Amino acid sequence: MKKNLFLLFLLVFFSAFFGTCAFGEVDLTDYSVANGVVCASSFEDITAPFSGTLTSFDAEAGDSVQGGDVLFSMLTMPVIAPEDGTVRYYFAREGESADAAMNVYGAVAALQPARKQRLACTYSGAADYEECRHLHVGEILYFKADKEKGTGVVISTREDAYEVEVLTGEYDAGKILDLFRDSDYVYDNKTGSGKIVYREDVPIAASGVIAEILAQPGDSVKKGDTLFTIVGQDAPFGASSEIAAENAGVIAMIPVSSGQQVWKGQLLARVYHTDELEIVADVDEMDLHSLKVGDTIPVTLDTDESNILTGTVTEISSLGTQRQNAAYFTVHVSVEKAGLKLGQSASIYLP
């Protein structure tokens, strides 16, 4: 009876001792040792927000990143001004569907052309020469009203009519003008007559999701200027072409390359979070009998084996792996120590 009480006393004493003391004061000679490595407790998978093409990027595995750092960008398609003019209106905002605007309004934006007037012309009264009664697109014609002279370019032709875009001069709508192939305005060069009409605003078509509006309503633009950019149709509302890390960490892998086409949801990178690190070790089944989640155990880093740290068992795998006729189980141990680096070698000690 007394022997049993004494053993019970020793058990309580050593339990209290190992639960509260610093492991630096403990002789670890009789402990079983399992080799481990410093790992992240959690990670973040960065995926493509929509289908498209990656632009060139410099990120690579092993890089440290901060939350908000842009790692990738998706190629955006520019929608350009077909001619000089003034942007009048957008039927969709950034992040909205261009296709939806097309379905409802027949356009994504409206452009007021800088060349506002055209001449609807016929060959009536033209000189009886082939070159005066059979014009070609691109020919320059001359006309005048009173003392004001103007020029225009043929932009379309039919059997008995043609259309001229006014290049210089401005006239009242409905005004009738005689047109000539030469600036001498003689009958032998006359190609007919036309009526001044005002042009409608030019509709701008596009398909996809508007990524960024570069030319705002009221802005003057030149032919070829980018009005807005679009991304893939499967982009969610408000999707950005820039893809950033949400949290600080270290890039573990990047399975894509610059210029690659990717689909929505495709893995672009995995980032290990560095705010919470742990030791992960495979433990022989023979050393698991006295170990449970919540236990505190000694831990050392191979870079400083003399410094014995205190670790807490947070997880023990329920499924072992067979190696050399023995089963090994993965054990996760949290350690509160600043300066741990992913991939460091470590050892955990099992009583």
Side-chain angles (χ1 to χ4, degrees):
M1 180 66 176
K2 290 181 178 180
K3 182 178 180 180
N4 291 337
L5 289 175
F6 179 70
L7 291 175
L8 180 61
F9 168 76
L10 288 179
L11 179 62
V12 173
F13 172 78
F14 281 110
S15 297
F17 176 79
F18 286 115
T20 59
C21 75
F23 282 116
E25 303 169 3
V26 177
D27 182 3
L28 303 178
T29 304
D30 295 331
Y31 279 65
S32 297
V33 182
N35 296 323
V37 65
V38 176
C39 300
S41 299
S42 61
F43 62 85
E44 166 191 349
D45 279 345
I46 298 175
T47 59
F50 48 84
S51 301
T53 302
L54 293 173
T55 62
S56 178
F57 60 85
D58 298 323
E60 57 184 20
D63 287 352
S64 296
V65 298
Q66 299 298 318
D69 284 354
V70 175
L71 304 183
F72 307 96
S73 293
M74 300 287 285
L75 185 67
T76 59
M77 297 298 294
V79 177
I80 63 175
E83 58 182 287
D84 296 357
T86 301
V87 178
R88 303 309 307 171
Y89 192 72
Y90 282 95
F91 297 101
R93 299 173 297 172
E94 290 181 356
E96 293 184 342
S97 170
D99 297 270
M102 291 293 297
N103 290 336
V104 176
Y105 303 103
V108 179
L111 178 73
Q112 179 183 345
R115 296 173 179 172
K116 306 181 184 68
Q117 295 184 328
R118 285 182 177 171
L119 280 160
C121 308
T122 68
Y123 292 107
S124 176
D128 195 15
Y129 298 103
E130 177 67 18
E131 61 269 23
C132 291
R133 292 182 172 272
H134 188 74
L135 297 175
H136 300 280
V137 171
E139 288 193 62
I140 299 298
L141 299 181
Y142 300 84
F143 42 84
K144 64 179 180 179
D146 301 326
K147 296 182 179 180
E148 186 177 0
K149 299 179 180 180
T151 59
V153 59
V154 178
I155 58 173
S156 68
T157 61
R158 297 189 301 277
E159 182 178 354
D160 57 352
Y162 58 97
E163 190 174 18
V164 173
E165 185 166 87
V166 176
L167 300 179
T168 61
E170 187 168 347
Y171 309 91
D172 294 334
K175 190 174 185 63
I176 304 297
L177 300 174
D178 291 331
L179 294 98
F180 302 85
R181 298 185 68 247
D182 205 335
S183 59
D184 58 9
Y185 304 102
V186 297
Y187 174 77
D188 285 350
N189 287 320
K190 187 176 180 180
T191 63
S193 60
K195 182 173 69 173
I196 288 289
V197 294
Y198 274 89
R199 297 180 58 194
E200 302 292 337
D201 290 343
V202 178
I204 306 299
S207 178
V209 172
I210 297 177
E212 184 179 10
I213 293 176
L214 300 175
Q216 301 297 326
D219 288 352
S220 295
V221 295
K222 295 291 186 181
K223 179 180 180 179
D225 287 350
T226 299
L227 302 177
F228 56 95
T229 59
I230 58 172
V231 293
Q233 292 179 330
D234 58 357
F237 176 81
S240 172
S241 60
E242 295 186 336
I243 307 167
E246 293 185 5
N247 301 284
V250 174
I251 298 175
M253 63 174 179
I254 298 181
V256 292
S257 56
S258 297
Q260 180 177 332
Q261 288 188 332
V262 296
W263 63 86
K264 182 177 182 178
Q266 182 173 346
L267 179 65
L268 304 181
R270 174 166 290 179
V271 176
Y272 286 144
H273 297 158
T274 52
D275 53 348
E276 293 184 10
L277 300 179
E278 62 181 3
I279 310 296
V280 178
D282 287 338
V283 177
D284 191 302
E285 60 186 333
M286 301 302 293
D287 297 321
L288 280 178
H289 62 280
S290 61
L291 196 66
K292 64 182 183 298
V293 172
D295 284 351
T296 55
I297 59 175
V299 175
T300 61
L301 300 174
D302 289 7
T303 54
D304 187 8
E305 294 182 340
S306 63
N307 183 19
I308 302 176
L309 308 173
T310 299
T312 302
V313 178
T314 59
E315 183 181 348
I316 302 173
S317 66
S318 299
L319 180 64
T321 57
Q322 291 288 327
R323 294 204 303 269
Q324 298 178 346
N325 298 323
Y328 287 82
F329 293 79
T330 303
V331 175
H332 297 254
V333 180
S334 66
V335 178
E336 293 185 3
K337 173 177 171 55
L340 290 179
K341 294 185 180 299
L342 286 171
Q344 276 185 290
S345 298
S347 298
I348 65 172
Y349 297 83
L350 309 166

